[in-house]
Amino acid sequence: HVRMGFGLHFGWAVEAAIGSSLKIDASYLSPHVNLASRLEAATKQYGVDILISGDTFGLFSDEVKGLCRLVDRVTVKGSERPIKLYTYDVSF
């Protein structure tokens, strides 16, 4: 059984090519990318498949907001502003 978790957040990011003439990797630098990564990691702690930041939730239509539920309100490392965490309960 394979489980996957997803962290959804939005914001600016800088894409950079890092490496040498023999190997190049793309990297994305941004506090927003870091937050999405933390949300993905936290799906295991909350036992959900998807964690959505309050900022992303605010972009949803009223219909989609009605399908989501509030999970928690937290202050993440590196931030002073608490954020709300939502999930969408996916059933297969």
Side-chain angles (χ1 to χ4, degrees):
H1 184 70
V2 175
R3 290 197 57 114
M4 293 175 50
F6 298 90
L8 301 181
H9 184 63
F10 80 100
W12 63 268
V14 175
E15 179 182 17
I18 298 173
S20 68
S21 60
L22 301 175
K23 184 176 184 225
I24 297 175
D25 290 322
S27 182
Y28 300 91
L29 309 171
S30 167
H32 303 289
V33 173
N34 292 343
L35 178 56
S37 178
R38 287 190 176 118
L39 292 178
E40 181 274 328
T43 59
K44 297 173 195 82
Q45 178 184 359
Y46 287 102
V48 297
D49 296 316
I50 300 170
L51 275 178
I52 304 161
S53 70
D55 291 337
T56 302
F57 177 82
L59 297 173
F60 293 164
S61 67
D62 289 339
E63 182 179 353
V64 173
K65 285 179 181 176
L67 299 172
C68 297
R69 69 177 166 90
L70 181 64
V71 174
D72 204 352
R73 185 172 180 257
V74 298
T75 302
V76 296
K77 182 179 177 182
S79 177
E80 297 176 5
R81 178 177 72 105
I83 63 167
K84 291 181 179 177
L85 302 179
Y86 294 87
T87 193
Y88 173 77
D89 293 313
V90 180
S91 57
F92 296 101

